[in-house]
């Protein structure tokens, strides 16, 4: 072909439509914010009911996780996520969705090799690097404390 | 007998006939602009099966059975089957076709499989190796997503360049004689790779392959785009088609209003949320085995070039950072007076 690979990739970039970044950012901000507000309301109501702040925060997170899992199971979460993008991925609801979705999908391959093993195909890296980062953070914090 | 013409093209002098054909599809495809041409539309895309893979196999069986019935042929009369799909180890075809007891060669050409299987069926018949052959091809959105991308319920955003894998199957029974549409020539394409590695932009990855195969065909046969009623690519979609048109112009074979793409014919992109259009083996299979062959049988189209395109990557090669190799195979179909 009389086009080089570089020229071709440039041509393909010109022709390919770009994602509407501004619209996506605004929607992610609004829907992500709404999800966090729901968590805050659940935490606040728990505290009103006389639950200690630490436990009230756990209840707030649990409400979001449960809601996300149920909406995922009823084929609703992905329809919201289509518009919300990072707004539904970043909050804890996104993590719940990333675990429940493969669990539903791969149960046809059995409870052990399907559901249980594939459950972490998307969320696994978050756990691995999240836990690793927290360990590194802990070590650095302790080393700094030595020089105080 | 099949004879070579030029460097890449094979002319089938006996002009094997399409004795019967059938396309079946899922709900979304049935709601598309050519939905009424399908022999059967399944509102329930599980087809009553427990897994998506079984559903895809059932789609193949449905299309194959209907094509046999239309051709008036029994399974035992079919000498060879050429079947293919997108799944690992071609399981949709293996499990879909296992009950028939017909000698089979499973094919993988990604989304180009319909043209690949039809070309082989026609060459086998024309060479005298077989009296009757069949080409069967399928894809299923749900079985493809779980193999190539994410679980169905995962909340991700699809880029505008991405295409929608068709839930559909097509089958063609090829033999000799009769008044049906004939296969006149086939051009088998070679792998073309310009370094596109975005699996959400397969149209761009496949457009150069379509350009190479179509140019090779024009050079081998000494024909030009205006000689055909319809030139249709497999599933380049909106992005790939636009690039393809520009590349063909650079090759001095500019295409006019007789050009279309199966990925754009299958869905209404404004209403159906499929972004850049349709893809998957079932896309070109369903469009060819319904709309195009119906129009040819009715005599509305007489001289047609079908160039099915495929993106030959796997999740492994993509994760290892490889680019996407493209392929395109061409079948020249004619309706004789």
């Amino acid at each position: 072909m009389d086009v080089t690979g570089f020229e071709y990739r440039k041509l393909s970039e010109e022709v390919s439509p770009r994602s509407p970044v501004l619209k996506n950012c605004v929607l992610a901000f609004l829907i992500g914010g709404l999800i966090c507000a729901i968590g805050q309301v659940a935490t606040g109501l728990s505290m009103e009911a006389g639950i200690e702040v630490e436990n009230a925060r756990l209840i707030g997170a649990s409400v979001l996780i449960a809601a996300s899992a149920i909406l995922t199971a009823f084929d609703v979460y992905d329809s919201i996520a289509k518009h919300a993008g990072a707004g539904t991925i970043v909050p804890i609801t996104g993590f719940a969705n990333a675990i429940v979705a493969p669990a539903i999908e791969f149960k046809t391959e059995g409870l052990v090799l399907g559901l249980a093993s594939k459950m972490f195909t998307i969320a696994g890296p978050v756990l691995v690097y999240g836990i690793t980062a927290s360990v590194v953070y802990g070590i650095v914090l302790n080393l700094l404390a030595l020089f105080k | 007998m099949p004879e070579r013409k030029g460097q890449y093209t094979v002319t089938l002098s006996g002009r094997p006939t399409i004795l019967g054909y059938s396309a079946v599809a899922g709900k979304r495809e049935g709601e598309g602009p050519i939905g009424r041409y399908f022999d059967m539309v399944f509102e329930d895309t599980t087809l009553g099966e427990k897994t998506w893979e079984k559903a895809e196999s059932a789609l193949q069986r449905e299309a194959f059975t209907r094509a046999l019935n239309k051709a008036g042929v029994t399974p035992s009369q079919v000498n060879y089957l050429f079947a293919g799909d997108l799944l690992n180890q071609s399981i949709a075809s293996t499990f879909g076709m296992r009950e028939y007891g017909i000698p089979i060669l499973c094919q993988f050409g990604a989304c180009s499989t319909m043209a690949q299987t039809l070309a082989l069926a026609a060459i086998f018949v024309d060479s005298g190796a077989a009296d009757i052959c069949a080409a069967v091809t399928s894809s299923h959105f749900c079985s493809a997503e779980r193999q190539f991308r994410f679980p169905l319920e995962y909340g991700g955003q699809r880029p505008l360049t991405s295409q929608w894998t068709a839930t559909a199957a097509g089958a063609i029974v090829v033999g000799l004689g009769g008044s049906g549409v004939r296969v006149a020539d086939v051009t088998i394409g070679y792998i073309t790779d310009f370094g596109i590695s975005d699996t959400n932009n397969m149209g761009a990855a496949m457009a150069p392959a379509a350009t190479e195969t179509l140019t090779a065909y024009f050079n081998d046969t000494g024909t030009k785009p205006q000689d055909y009623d319809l030139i249709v690519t497999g599933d380049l979609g909106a992005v790939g088609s636009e690039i393809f048109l520009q590349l063909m112009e650079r090759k001095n074979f500019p295409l006019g209003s007789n050009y279309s793409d199966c990925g754009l014919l299958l869905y209404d992109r404004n209403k159906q949320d499929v972004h850049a259009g349709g893809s998957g083996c079932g896309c070109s299979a369903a469009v060819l085995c319904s709309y195009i062959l119906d129009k040819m049988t009715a005599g509305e189209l007489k001289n047609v070039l079908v160039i099915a395109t495929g993106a030959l990557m796997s999740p492994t090669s993509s994760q290892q950072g490889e680019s996407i190799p493209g392929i395109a195979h061409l079948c020249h179909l004619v309706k004789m007076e």
Side-chain angles (χ1 to χ4, degrees):
Chain A
M1 174 107 45
D2 39 0
V3 215
T4 65
F6 176 74
E7 277 175 350
Y8 183 72
R9 286 192 291 279
K10 221 175 116 190
L11 167 70
S12 123
E13 262 175 47
E14 281 166 17
V15 172
S16 302
R18 280 172 184 70
S19 297
V21 177
L22 186 67
K23 184 184 145 210
N24 285 351
C25 285
V26 171
L27 279 174
F29 179 78
L30 291 177
I31 301 176
L34 180 68
I35 292 171
C36 296
I38 293 170
Q40 191 61 48
V41 168
T43 310
L45 287 177
S46 307
M47 283 167 69
E48 289 281 316
I51 296 170
E52 283 174 44
V53 63
E54 296 263 307
N55 291 335
R57 282 184 187 145
L58 284 178
I59 290 174
S62 306
V63 165
L64 292 182
I65 290 170
S68 166
I70 293 166
L71 290 176
T72 301
F74 284 96
D75 192 22
V76 178
Y77 197 85
D78 60 325
S79 309
I80 304 171
K82 193 173 76 184
H83 304 288
T88 42
I89 290 177
V90 175
I92 201 162
T93 50
F95 192 73
N97 166 257
I99 289 182
V100 176
I104 297 171
E105 182 75 52
F106 292 101
K107 73 173 189 295
T108 48
E109 278 89 323
L111 291 178
V112 176
L113 294 178
L115 188 148
S117 127
K118 295 279 175 67
M119 202 182 230
F120 295 98
T121 45
I122 305 169
V126 182
L127 293 174
V128 170
Y129 293 113
I131 292 167
T132 308
S134 66
V135 169
V136 171
Y137 176 78
I139 292 170
V140 170
L141 203 67
N142 273 292
L143 284 177
L144 287 177
L146 288 179
F147 297 105
K148 257 190 182 171
Chain B
M1 285 291 283
E3 286 161 32
R4 291 201 68 79
K5 186 188 261 181
Q7 202 177 352
Y8 300 102
T9 302
V10 177
T11 293
L12 308 174
S13 56
R15 297 209 160 176
T17 315
I18 293 178
L19 302 175
Y21 59 90
S22 177
V24 299
K27 183 170 183 282
R28 186 181 288 237
E29 293 69 24
E31 289 166 354
I34 61 163
R36 65 196 162 91
Y37 290 92
F38 299 137
D39 290 325
M40 176 84 190
V41 171
F42 293 93
E43 292 291 313
D44 171 14
T45 47
T46 70
L47 276 77
E49 300 285 349
K50 284 201 174 103
T51 69
W52 297 120
E53 289 74 13
K54 282 184 178 172
E56 188 175 338
S57 292
L59 269 182
Q60 279 205 7
R61 274 195 299 277
E62 194 69 40
F64 181 50
T65 315
R66 286 167 186 272
L68 285 178
N69 287 341
K70 282 190 184 174
V73 166
T74 61
S76 60
Q77 288 176 282
V78 180
N79 299 128
Y80 295 105
L81 253 177
F82 300 91
D85 56 85
L86 290 177
L87 303 183
N88 290 339
Q89 287 78 40
S90 306
I91 54 170
S93 305
T94 325
F95 290 87
M97 297 292 116
R98 74 175 159 185
E99 67 190 51
Y100 294 105
I102 304 170
I104 183 169
L105 290 166
C106 283
Q107 301 291 310
F108 182 79
C111 310
S112 73
T113 312
M114 190 69 240
Q116 179 174 332
T117 52
L118 176 59
L120 287 171
I123 290 172
F124 262 60
V125 167
D126 195 48
S127 72
D131 295 323
I132 296 177
C133 284
V136 189
T137 304
S138 69
S139 60
H140 195 302
F141 176 78
C142 301
S143 61
E145 283 297 300
R146 75 205 302 266
Q147 178 176 307
F148 288 97
R149 296 178 194 93
F150 291 110
L152 294 178
E153 301 306 327
Y154 177 66
Q157 266 178 329
R158 301 167 59 245
L160 296 178
T161 52
S162 70
Q163 290 170 251
W164 188 273
T165 306
T167 300
I172 295 180
V173 179
V174 183
L176 284 173
S179 60
V181 174
R182 307 287 186 114
V183 186
D185 306 274
V186 299
T187 304
I188 307 294
Y190 49 85
I191 295 168
T192 310
D193 191 338
F194 275 126
I196 299 287
S197 56
D198 181 0
T199 52
N200 282 307
N201 195 354
M202 291 196 290
M206 299 187 292
T211 310
E212 293 296 306
T213 301
L214 186 56
T215 308
Y217 173 81
F218 285 143
N219 288 335
D220 287 345
T221 56
T223 57
K224 51 191 187 305
Q226 302 88 293
D227 297 336
Y228 300 90
D229 301 327
L230 175 69
I231 297 171
V232 63
T233 45
D235 55 350
L236 294 179
V239 177
S241 296
E242 173 66 39
I243 299 174
F244 175 63
L245 286 173
Q246 289 195 26
L247 293 178
M248 286 310 292
E249 206 159 312
R250 289 195 197 196
K251 292 275 190 187
N252 287 322
F253 289 115
L255 303 179
S257 57
N258 61 345
Y259 169 69
S260 192
D261 180 73
C262 296
L264 298 175
L265 289 167
L266 187 59
Y267 301 109
D268 182 342
R269 287 174 59 236
N270 296 323
K271 291 182 190 155
Q272 293 193 290
D273 193 30
V274 294
H275 295 223
S279 72
C281 310
C283 178
S284 54
V287 177
L288 172 63
C289 298
S290 63
Y291 177 76
I292 295 173
L293 285 176
D294 278 2
K295 293 258 177 212
M296 290 193 79
T297 307
E300 289 173 48
L301 297 170
K302 290 193 169 70
N303 206 10
V304 174
L305 295 179
V306 178
I307 310 119
T309 45
L312 300 173
M313 84 297 178
S314 85
T316 306
S317 68
S318 298
Q319 282 164 11
Q320 291 176 347
E322 287 278 6
S323 53
I324 304 171
I327 189 91
H329 306 301
L330 176 148
C331 291
H332 173 210
L333 307 177
V334 290
K335 170 70 178 166
M336 320 250 258
E337 292 299 331

